[in-house]
Amino acid sequence: MPALPRRRSILLAAGAATAATTVSALPAAAAQVRQHPAPDRPLVIGHRGAAGWRPEHTAASYIFAVQAGADWIEPDLVPTKDHVLVVRHENEISQTTDVAKHPEFAQRRTTKTVDGRVVTGWFTEDFTLAELKTLRAVERLPLVRNRNTVFDGTQRIMTFQEVVDLARRLSRRHGRRIAVFPETKHPTYFRSIGLPLEPELLRIVRQGHLDARECVIQSFEPSSLLRIADARLRLPLWQALGTSGGPYGHTATYAQMMTPAGLREIAEYADWIGPDKSSVLAPSPLLADAHAAGLKVGAYTFRAENQFLPAALRRGTGPSEFGDAFAEYALHYGLGVDAVVTDFPDLAVIARNDVSANDVSANDVSANDVT
């Protein structure tokens, strides 16, 4: 394969300054709000649909998300043995399907190394699409979201094409454009086993004539986005950013990518960055630096359960009880994020519609409270 253009190499000097990693109280956030006021309508992105209310990556989850007001819906892409893109959180499917209950597939259980991690289970790349269609989805976090287990066994695994078709039907039904927001999962790994994600993704985009209003493509791996950028489809690209380490197969760390120099390099091929929601809290300059580089910022992942909220916003004693999610949305909308990625798009839309009614003091929440 030809070398990627050096101008987009994402190879930062080893000694480059890293982004701030210690963030505490929020008074400094006010400066960010003044410099980059929140858009009138920050986007609400349904994370795997409405994963807080329905098993993720199912038709029921995507439909609920759109009914709740989500602007985009997110499918994670992994391939089948016959190279069809299906939507699952991971290629290992024992936690998200009933595959373990299928004796005909018992011998498919195996151990693999994926992105440097040893994983045991059943993998989409060992099944044809026809075989996967015999499985049913289950709730991935049953101890956290027991309410969702009522849907176990009712939903089939979807292909990416089916999600695109569903988004278009929902757009017509609701009279507004619903975009798909696919993520290429483990793209380096899949290229290594002869099942690259990008060519099939590009084929579906081209065949469906998807435009910038209908499709935004994301990945944690810059090399995957660069392959898509080189196709010149003029689709917005979203560089997802982790909180530690760096993208698999790349020399740069996420901290280096979040410096002003790193953000300028990302802006050469991408339109968005997607950092963890804690990464935009003061005194981190990430939000201001990204906007200065011409990048939009979509923070992830917003959830309602106490265990996913800052300590100051938790309510009750149970980790799976709902806390004050509205305050967290209001805080980030006020800081000026351009989008939120959420398991609960209904709550994000309510908060977006009435931020002032759920305002939170900058002194109330510390990023150090986030677990």
Side-chain angles (χ1 to χ4, degrees):
M1 179 175 176
L4 295 172
R6 191 180 186 284
R7 70 182 179 85
R8 308 196 205 126
S9 65
I10 308 298
L11 298 177
L12 301 177
T18 60
T21 55
T22 302
V23 286
S24 53
L26 295 172
Q32 296 182 35
V33 175
R34 286 192 295 272
Q35 293 172 22
H36 300 286
D40 291 338
R41 188 179 174 83
L43 296 171
V44 170
I45 302 173
H47 186 232
R48 308 170 195 164
W53 299 119
R54 302 288 188 273
E56 62 192 30
H57 291 313
T58 62
S61 185
Y62 293 126
I63 290 168
F64 189 99
V66 174
Q67 289 174 336
D71 302 293
W72 301 357
I73 51 177
E74 184 213 31
D76 293 327
L77 305 184
V78 294
T80 66
K81 184 177 181 178
D82 43 350
H83 212 170
V84 178
L85 296 183
V86 293
V87 295
R88 291 286 89 194
H89 171 52
E90 291 288 345
N91 54 323
E92 199 291 295
I93 55 174
S94 63
Q95 291 184 311
T96 60
T97 74
D98 62 358
V99 64
K101 296 181 178 180
H102 286 251
E104 69 271 27
F105 299 135
Q107 297 304 313
R108 305 274 181 99
R109 190 172 189 269
T110 188
T111 298
K112 301 187 180 191
T113 300
V114 181
D115 291 359
R117 294 178 58 247
V118 177
V119 184
T120 298
W122 289 265
F123 297 82
T124 59
E125 63 266 30
D126 296 331
F127 292 77
T128 66
L129 177 62
E131 290 172 331
L132 286 178
K133 285 292 189 179
T134 69
L135 307 180
R136 295 295 181 270
V138 300
E139 170 56 40
R140 186 173 62 88
L141 301 173
L143 298 181
V144 178
R145 295 169 177 172
N146 177 264
R147 61 188 174 274
N148 289 4
T149 61
V150 69
F151 298 99
D152 285 359
T154 68
Q155 301 288 302
R156 295 177 182 269
I157 293 177
M158 300 184 72
T159 67
F160 176 49
Q161 182 65 64
E162 288 172 338
V163 176
V164 170
D165 295 341
L166 176 62
R168 284 182 159 171
R169 291 198 302 273
L170 292 171
S171 295
R172 291 192 295 269
R173 183 182 306 167
H174 292 275
R176 56 190 177 87
R177 186 84 61 160
I178 307 301
V180 292
F181 180 46
E183 177 184 346
T184 59
K185 300 286 287 192
H186 311 298
T188 296
Y189 166 75
F190 287 120
R191 282 195 294 274
S192 76
I193 63 172
L195 292 171
L197 302 173
E198 296 85 6
E200 182 63 9
L201 171 57
L202 291 170
R203 184 191 67 79
I204 292 172
V205 167
R206 289 191 177 104
Q207 182 175 290
H209 303 287
L210 296 174
D211 61 26
R213 298 172 298 169
E214 293 181 292
C215 185
V216 178
I217 300 173
Q218 65 167 322
S219 185
F220 281 90
E221 294 188 24
S223 60
S224 183
L225 295 177
L226 292 171
R227 283 168 170 80
I228 295 165
D230 286 343
R232 302 186 182 279
L233 294 179
R234 297 186 178 180
L235 292 180
L237 302 181
W238 174 303
Q239 177 63 63
L241 300 167
T243 56
S244 63
Y248 183 76
H250 297 74
T251 58
T253 66
Y254 290 122
Q256 290 171 328
M257 293 171 73
M258 289 189 281
T259 63
L263 293 168
R264 287 193 296 271
E265 196 166 355
I266 291 172
E268 292 185 17
Y269 64 89
D271 306 273
W272 290 80
I273 60 166
D276 181 87
K277 60 185 180 178
S278 65
S279 297
V280 302
L281 298 180
S284 169
L286 178 60
L287 190 59
D289 288 347
H291 283 153
L295 293 162
K296 295 180 181 179
V297 179
Y300 72 87
T301 301
F302 290 80
R303 300 179 170 101
E305 296 92 352
N306 280 331
Q307 61 192 281
F308 303 118
L309 289 169
L313 302 182
R314 295 171 189 168
R315 301 291 181 263
T317 58
S320 297
E321 293 182 48
F322 281 16
D324 192 355
F326 290 124
E328 187 178 43
Y329 289 119
L331 171 65
H332 284 79
Y333 289 155
L335 288 174
V337 298
D338 303 290
V340 295
V341 181
T342 175
D343 285 1
F344 296 89
D346 52 338
L347 305 185
V349 169
I350 292 171
R352 182 178 66 182
N353 290 344
D354 193 9
V355 170
S356 62
N358 300 287
D359 196 15
V360 59
S361 168
N363 295 316
D364 288 342
V365 182
S366 163
N368 289 334
D369 292 329
V370 180
T371 59

